[in-house]
Amino acid sequence: MKDTKKLFQHGTLALLVPGLFDGTLPLSSLLEHGDTGIGTATGLDGEMIILDGVPYLVRSDGSVNVLDANKVKVPFANSHFDNPEIEFDVTDATPDQLKDMIFFKYNLKNVFFAVKVKGKFDYIKTRAVEGQKKPYPTLTEVADKQAIFEENDGQGTIVGYFSPELFHGMASAGFHLHYLNDAHNLGGHLLDYKIKEAKVYLQVFESVETHFPVENEDFMKEEFDIDGLRASISSAEK
Amino acid sequence: MKDTKKLFQHGTLALLVPGLFDGTLPLSSLLEHGDTGIGTATGLDGEMIILDGVPYLVRSDGSVNVLDANKVKVPFANSHFDNPEIEFDVTDATPDQLKDMIFFKYNLKNVFFAVKVKGKFDYIKTRAVEGQKKPYPTLTEVADKQAIFEENDGQGTIVGYFSPELFHGMASAGFHLHYLNDAHNLGGHLLDYKIKEAKVYLQVFESVETHFPVENEDFMKEEFDIDGLRASISSAEK
């Protein structure tokens, strides 16, 4: 039975901060928990977006490929079954204007919810981090080596999540969004955008399931610096 | 199917801090997610412990009663299906010595796990907070009005959880334990103890599911002070 009221998360953003980039969950398992989502692959090799059950990976060379769910493992990713209960049209809006629209109308700051924006964009700016080999650097070091992509007059889909401030560290508090254009040749972690004409879909979750890589010895042994990592996430995921 | 690898949590400790004490989940629903657990009732009226599917409430007058799962609602509670995979005997140990034993042997500081200690205790010290009526005070104010109970040469069961530091706020980082003696006439939130001779059971969870009271307007509208509440939880739950 598909539970459309639950957000599934494998790993924590915290574990990426010191460089725990090994894939610890088969992508096929992630897809059992949802047909929509975002994440990354082993080595932090690119930005993943899952649309209609299909997992795409945008790499730092700009390539966009469909991943083989039986071969790829993920260190950190989210998925849910798409079933938005809130829908509205937006024209000519910046990220801040969209946020204001959402929180002016709905009291959602204390819960997790999914965001999907489908339509035309005046401007899209994304990034994809460069895949790393062991010994892995830290998240901050990787974030400094990212490729930037821009598109004007694009058409595509934004997918991602809002996480409440209380969960900063487990996730990145606020919005964490990825993008893929309809031509499937540009996407990544969303840095900036301007909506021309799009439909916005919100899906509020009753619960969030955080799944830990309990079989991964590096994770189990890591000495996390909680305060430091919260600051690192804020800087790397902005 | 009983998922023994998952810890279920309704609400967050964070929401208790400003005084969101309304029960928001039927106890019967909590029991669908486990036969073992801890929590509190509407108005923060006592300390709940669930053993073998039976929910007991220890109130500030010292009474211990079995709750009617169809009538009671909980603002904050945890449950899981008891199936410990680690078991060891302990004699003559303080809380700090037990903690040292656990973490010396097992790398569990980054994951949620259940703790059950069954046996004889030289000393037990518990507390139960006093039930509150609306308008509710804050958690700190309630914690100041608590009844203390002590028992020498007791026999009973400790049940509770370890939560990783990253989740302080959602839960209380570290150990959060409740107690009920075998005579069912003394129990509560565990403040101190000395093990005489007991069996310790640990159950490591692969995931934690945090369930939010999304139908509760007070929760949805609350403006949480995240840094302040982490400090308040540390002080109230010590």
Side-chain angles (χ1 to χ4, degrees):
Chain A
M1 201 194 61
K2 291 179 181 178
D3 185 350
T4 62
K5 295 292 188 185
K6 190 191 290 183
L7 171 62
F8 180 83
Q9 176 169 308
H10 175 67
T12 60
L13 256 183
L15 63 81
L16 299 182
V17 172
L20 297 169
F21 301 161
D22 277 341
T24 43
L25 185 80
L27 182 49
S28 55
S29 300
L30 182 76
L31 296 176
E32 286 169 17
H33 296 275
D35 52 27
T36 305
I38 61 175
T40 185
T42 293
L44 227 60
D45 189 12
E47 313 285 339
M48 186 174 68
I49 182 168
I50 306 166
L51 299 174
D52 299 319
V54 182
Y56 301 89
L57 187 71
V58 181
R59 299 186 70 229
S60 60
D61 60 5
S63 63
V64 180
N65 291 294
V66 174
L67 293 170
D68 184 338
N70 294 310
K71 288 189 178 157
V72 171
K73 286 188 176 188
V74 296
F76 176 79
N78 288 86
S79 68
H80 73 282
F81 289 105
D82 187 45
N83 186 33
E85 71 268 31
I86 297 171
E87 244 187 80
F88 54 91
D89 292 306
V90 171
T91 51
D92 302 325
T94 64
D96 282 344
Q97 286 168 332
L98 177 59
K99 285 171 201 173
D100 288 347
M101 270 179 241
I102 291 173
F103 291 110
F104 182 76
K105 272 196 191 167
Y106 308 101
N107 284 311
L108 297 177
K109 61 190 177 304
N110 295 328
V111 292
F112 288 83
F113 63 90
V115 181
K116 191 170 67 174
V117 186
K118 254 181 103 80
K120 294 177 179 171
F121 299 88
D122 289 318
Y123 178 65
I124 286 282
K125 182 181 181 182
T126 64
R127 73 111 188 270
V129 292
E130 208 175 286
Q132 304 294 319
K133 301 256 181 257
K134 276 193 161 178
Y136 296 126
T138 65
L139 183 66
T140 314
E141 287 164 346
V142 178
D144 288 344
K145 288 175 202 154
Q146 58 187 20
I148 302 285
F149 308 110
E150 291 174 291
E151 186 175 56
N152 292 310
D153 297 316
Q155 185 161 325
T157 306
I158 294 170
V159 162
Y161 301 97
F162 174 85
S163 304
E165 197 190 340
L166 183 64
F167 290 82
H168 189 55
M170 172 274 214
S172 180
F175 290 92
H176 182 183
L177 305 171
H178 287 193
Y179 174 77
L180 185 64
N181 69 5
D182 289 350
H184 292 180
N185 59 20
L186 185 139
H189 177 100
L190 197 58
L191 294 176
D192 195 12
Y193 61 93
K194 174 88 195 298
I195 294 172
K196 185 176 186 184
E197 191 183 333
K199 210 173 253 300
V200 176
Y201 304 85
L202 306 181
Q203 182 172 346
V204 179
F205 301 112
E206 284 183 7
S207 64
V208 57
E209 177 176 348
T210 314
H211 182 256
F212 298 88
V214 296
E215 307 293 333
N216 185 268
E217 216 176 304
D218 291 341
F219 166 69
M220 295 299 271
K221 285 187 171 170
E222 182 67 33
E223 299 285 344
F224 289 102
D225 162 19
I226 305 297
D227 293 331
L229 69 83
R230 288 201 172 108
S232 296
I233 289 170
S234 299
S235 119
E237 296 294 318
K238 73 170 180 284
Chain B
M1 202 193 60
K2 289 178 182 182
D3 184 350
T4 63
K5 296 290 188 188
K6 189 191 290 184
L7 170 62
F8 179 83
Q9 175 170 307
H10 174 68
T12 61
L13 256 185
L15 64 82
L16 299 183
V17 173
L20 297 168
F21 300 161
D22 277 339
T24 43
L25 186 78
L27 181 49
S28 55
S29 300
L30 182 76
L31 295 176
E32 286 169 17
H33 297 276
D35 52 27
T36 305
I38 61 174
T40 186
T42 294
L44 226 62
D45 189 12
E47 313 285 336
M48 187 175 67
I49 182 168
I50 305 166
L51 299 174
D52 298 320
V54 182
Y56 301 89
L57 187 71
V58 181
R59 300 185 70 228
S60 60
D61 60 6
S63 63
V64 180
N65 291 294
V66 174
L67 293 170
D68 183 338
N70 294 311
K71 286 188 181 162
V72 171
K73 288 188 173 185
V74 295
F76 176 78
N78 288 88
S79 68
H80 73 282
F81 289 104
D82 188 45
N83 186 35
E85 71 267 32
I86 298 172
E87 243 187 80
F88 55 90
D89 292 307
V90 171
T91 50
D92 302 325
T94 64
D96 281 345
Q97 286 168 333
L98 177 60
K99 284 171 201 175
D100 287 348
M101 273 179 237
I102 292 173
F103 291 111
F104 182 77
K105 273 196 190 166
Y106 308 100
N107 285 309
L108 296 178
K109 61 190 178 301
N110 297 327
V111 291
F112 288 82
F113 62 91
V115 181
K116 190 170 63 173
V117 186
K118 254 179 104 83
K120 294 176 179 171
F121 299 89
D122 289 317
Y123 178 66
I124 286 282
K125 182 181 180 182
T126 63
R127 72 111 188 270
V129 292
E130 206 175 288
Q132 304 294 319
K133 301 256 181 260
K134 275 192 162 176
Y136 295 127
T138 65
L139 183 65
T140 314
E141 286 163 345
V142 178
D144 288 344
K145 290 176 204 156
Q146 58 187 20
I148 302 286
F149 308 109
E150 291 175 291
E151 186 176 53
N152 292 309
D153 298 316
Q155 186 160 325
T157 307
I158 294 171
V159 162
Y161 302 97
F162 174 84
S163 305
E165 197 190 341
L166 182 64
F167 290 83
H168 188 55
M170 172 272 215
S172 180
F175 291 92
H176 181 183
L177 306 171
H178 286 193
Y179 174 77
L180 184 64
N181 69 5
D182 288 351
H184 291 181
N185 59 19
L186 185 140
H189 178 100
L190 197 59
L191 293 176
D192 196 11
Y193 61 93
K194 174 89 195 300
I195 295 172
K196 185 177 186 184
E197 192 184 333
K199 210 172 251 303
V200 176
Y201 304 85
L202 306 181
Q203 182 172 345
V204 178
F205 300 111
E206 284 183 7
S207 64
V208 58
E209 176 176 348
T210 313
H211 181 257
F212 298 88
V214 296
E215 307 293 334
N216 184 268
E217 214 176 303
D218 290 343
F219 166 70
M220 295 298 272
K221 285 187 169 172
E222 182 68 32
E223 298 285 345
F224 289 103
D225 161 19
I226 305 298
D227 294 330
L229 68 84
R230 288 200 171 107
S232 297
I233 289 169
S234 299
S235 121
E237 298 294 318
K238 72 170 176 293

